[in-house]
Amino acid sequence: MAKRIRISKRNAKLLRQRGSVPKGIDLTQFNRNPVLLWMHQRGVVIGMIKDIRVADGEVTGEPWFDEVREESRLAKQQWEKGTLRMGSPNFEILETSEDAALLKPGQTRPTVTRCKLMEYSMVDIGGNDDNIRLSYEGREIRLDAGADATCRC
């Protein structure tokens, strides 16, 4: 059995309000072209995500490495050995909400309620606890400490 990786999971509050399926994530384009990149680098395709499943509030899939590029060969070896274990989705934000019921303690930005999965990458260290890379109108939104937090998407 191939190793699965979590692409995304729903916020517990959104699960209670919208059910267990991540309805806010549009997978239409990604299902047609489930590209697997290396470190979010456009043009550095190392494979694809196979067997994409939506269940129990999560989107999961199986990384498949084509071994065409050196990055792919190395990523596959490290994935199989267990030293590379993290991935990171790149979502394009489609809709947000400032509803207080959806905010976590200390949250200063709106909650993303709809987004589109653009690509998935194998990474050494994910951008946050859920390994999510966000973009809005083609610009990356960084949520890490010290990042410019002026974008109110």
Side-chain angles (χ1 to χ4, degrees):
M1 173 180 259
K3 296 179 190 177
R4 298 192 70 74
I5 196 164
R6 179 186 295 128
I7 295 170
S8 184
K9 68 178 182 175
R10 298 280 306 178
N11 172 298
K13 288 181 182 177
L14 287 176
L15 279 174
R16 286 192 295 274
Q17 291 184 0
R18 295 188 178 200
S20 62
V21 178
K23 295 177 183 172
I25 302 172
D26 183 349
L27 298 172
T28 307
Q29 178 179 327
F30 188 74
N31 280 327
R32 289 192 311 258
N33 184 34
V35 66
L36 179 63
L37 301 182
W38 176 245
M39 303 288 289
H40 295 293
Q41 295 177 49
R42 293 278 312 264
V44 185
V45 177
I46 61 172
M48 61 190 296
I49 298 292
K50 291 188 172 189
D51 193 27
I52 300 164
R53 296 182 193 167
V54 178
D56 301 321
E58 293 186 339
V59 179
T60 63
E62 296 176 2
W64 175 80
F65 304 92
D66 63 15
E67 300 184 73
V68 173
R69 304 176 65 98
E70 185 62 21
E71 295 92 343
S72 179
R73 288 187 285 278
L74 292 174
K76 180 182 180 184
Q77 290 173 6
Q78 290 182 309
W79 176 253
E80 289 175 350
K81 294 278 186 189
T83 53
L84 181 63
R85 301 186 303 179
M86 212 167 200
S88 179
N90 180 0
F91 291 112
E92 175 68 23
I93 296 170
L94 302 175
E95 179 182 286
T96 61
S97 172
E98 294 194 32
D99 180 349
L102 300 178
L103 301 177
K104 292 183 176 185
Q107 183 175 337
T108 60
R109 297 182 187 206
T111 300
V112 175
T113 54
R114 282 189 44 239
C115 60
K116 178 168 79 170
L117 181 59
M118 302 299 291
E119 54 92 357
Y120 193 77
S121 288
M122 296 306 296
V123 297
D124 50 4
I125 300 172
N128 66 26
D129 290 346
D130 286 326
N131 312 325
I132 297 172
R133 178 180 173 185
L134 300 172
S135 61
Y136 180 69
E137 295 180 348
R139 296 185 327 264
E140 181 179 357
I141 299 171
R142 296 190 52 188
L143 303 178
D144 52 328
D148 176 15
T150 59
C151 179
R152 300 275 305 162
C153 319

